[in-house]
Amino acid sequence: MCTLGNPHDALFRAIFADPRHAEALLRRLLPPVLREALARCRITAVPASASGEFLRQHHADLLFIVRHPDLGQPILLLLEHKSRRDHRLTRQALRYVVNLGPAWANRRGLPPFFVPLVVHHGRRPLGAMTWRPSPRKMPRTTGLFEALRELDPTLRVCAWDLTSCSEAELVAEPLTALGRLGLLFLQLVPGIGEVTCLERLDRWAALLREAAGEVRGHPGIEALHSYVLHVTDVSAERLTAAFAKILNRSPENLMITTAQRLRAEGKAEGKAEGKAEGKAELLLRQLAAKFGALPDAVTIHVLSATAGELDRLGLRLLDAASIADVLDSK
């Protein structure tokens, strides 16, 4: 899934981690039958601490829970975005089912219902979400690929492809102002020129003012501002002046708050990545010293682990008789 290492992820999470902005989007993404059945049910965000190490490795993926009085199991809604085609999408969603299911099972051990929801934005349509080899790489054995695909586990993903939506359609969506702006910026801002960007901001002026008046609207506006700086070549001075004029704010104050956000994001991300990287290297040396040459799969597993998971692996290593004893979470 996504990591928080790019501006698309940062903007998506800055807006839609808040249930006040996510709820309308989640209901928009649900199939009509579920949308109607869950209309009166509360949608609650799942804190990162309650979603397990697996989900915390993918910070841009947001998890929400819904409980219906007729069901004994909760419904988990996974919300994420894709900025390009990803044929691994359904397999990645299945990983969530496997990793999150036990943690949210009811008292009888029944797993939760799981609904993956995806917003796709970018230059190309989403297309098929399952992998197919090119004709040149198709197995020579007749029917081999099709026979295997029939047995391949899959999961339906509810996706909204923004590439098929016009600007007017996104503006008219029944979401919060900040939610609509988030989708507009993700789909229509990356890579555009300065003149076009400033023209679009002017067209979205009413939405920007409405969003600034929403609860926690100002952090959202700052996230939009910093996103434009990341994904376009618009000068900081002209961009800040445009935002300040629209919002009737001081350019100096807007520039300061955005600079503080960028520094804080970079410092926190770099510190977390450096800490995990150092722990991973130490654990790999310890594993190699105790068990000899490590398989590539083990190395990849350790390098992709979070700092918290690495701490637990290190503790298991003390009494482990094999690499499997270290990596097995059961």
Side-chain angles (χ1 to χ4, degrees):
M1 296 289 182
C2 306
T3 60
L4 203 58
N6 69 62
H8 311 307
D9 297 341
L11 179 63
F12 193 78
R13 184 171 183 82
I15 294 176
F16 296 112
D18 189 333
R20 286 169 292 206
H21 302 298
E23 181 170 359
L25 177 60
L26 291 167
R27 297 190 187 278
R28 165 67 171 77
L29 288 164
L30 286 172
V33 173
L34 291 181
R35 188 183 309 149
E36 181 179 354
L38 303 177
R40 297 184 179 180
C41 297
R42 180 181 178 185
I43 296 178
T44 306
V46 176
S49 60
S51 58
E53 282 295 336
F54 176 79
L55 189 62
R56 289 205 293 276
Q57 293 180 42
H58 308 288
H59 302 290
D61 304 335
L62 304 172
L63 190 67
F64 300 83
I65 187 171
V66 184
R67 297 186 184 277
H68 191 281
D70 294 341
L71 299 176
Q73 303 121 281
I75 303 169
L76 296 181
L77 307 179
L78 172 70
L79 175 63
E80 65 162 318
H81 78 100
K82 291 288 184 181
S83 58
R84 58 182 181 274
R85 292 181 181 180
D86 191 343
H87 300 303
R88 302 166 299 172
L89 184 57
T90 54
R91 287 180 177 268
Q92 291 171 333
L94 283 170
R95 292 170 63 196
Y96 279 87
V97 174
V98 173
N99 284 272
L100 294 177
W104 291 94
N106 65 13
R107 293 180 180 179
R108 293 179 293 167
L110 294 176
F113 294 99
F114 186 81
V115 184
L117 307 168
V118 176
V119 174
H120 170 73
H121 56 94
R123 297 181 179 180
R124 301 174 62 187
L126 181 60
M129 289 184 287
T130 55
W131 177 80
R132 291 191 63 88
S134 65
R136 292 179 301 171
K137 297 182 179 180
M138 181 67 77
R140 295 181 181 179
T141 305
T142 303
L144 173 60
F145 180 77
E146 286 75 12
L148 289 172
R149 283 297 301 272
E150 288 182 1
L151 301 175
D152 195 33
T154 187
L155 185 70
R156 180 184 173 189
V157 176
C158 303
W160 183 14
D161 191 350
L162 300 186
T163 64
S164 64
C165 297
S166 68
E167 178 181 335
E169 288 172 331
L170 291 177
V171 169
E173 280 292 331
L175 309 178
T176 63
L178 190 56
R180 281 175 281 167
L181 285 167
L183 300 183
L184 285 165
F185 275 57
L186 287 168
Q187 179 60 32
L188 298 176
V189 169
I192 62 176
E194 184 171 283
V195 173
T196 302
C197 182
L198 296 178
E199 288 175 349
R200 289 180 179 174
L201 289 178
D202 190 56
R203 289 203 298 271
W204 303 337
L207 269 181
L208 285 164
R209 286 190 287 268
E210 183 181 349
E214 293 174 340
V215 177
R216 293 188 55 79
H218 286 294
I221 294 296
E222 291 162 13
L224 294 171
H225 183 270
S226 63
Y227 179 73
V228 178
L229 293 177
H230 277 103
V231 301
T232 73
D233 293 328
V234 179
S235 69
E237 292 76 14
R238 294 201 66 181
L239 179 65
T240 301
F243 267 81
K245 180 180 179 180
I246 291 171
L247 301 174
N248 194 26
R249 293 175 60 182
S250 164
E252 293 77 12
N253 289 341
L254 183 59
M255 182 69 79
I256 290 172
T257 53
T258 300
Q260 289 172 339
R261 170 182 288 275
L262 293 175
R263 285 197 298 270
E265 289 174 353
K267 183 177 180 180
E269 184 177 326
K271 186 176 181 180
E273 290 180 353
K275 184 178 180 181
E277 183 178 352
K279 289 184 176 183
E281 291 176 354
L282 175 59
L283 181 59
L284 288 173
R285 290 197 299 269
Q286 292 172 330
L287 287 168
K290 188 168 184 177
F291 302 114
L294 302 176
D296 291 342
V298 173
T299 301
I300 293 172
H301 180 94
V302 172
L303 291 176
S304 63
T306 63
E309 185 178 4
L310 290 167
D311 288 337
R312 284 188 286 279
L313 294 177
L315 291 175
R316 290 185 203 142
L317 177 62
L318 297 176
D319 301 318
S322 66
I323 294 179
D325 292 338
V326 178
L327 301 183
D328 189 356
S329 62
K330 294 182 180 180

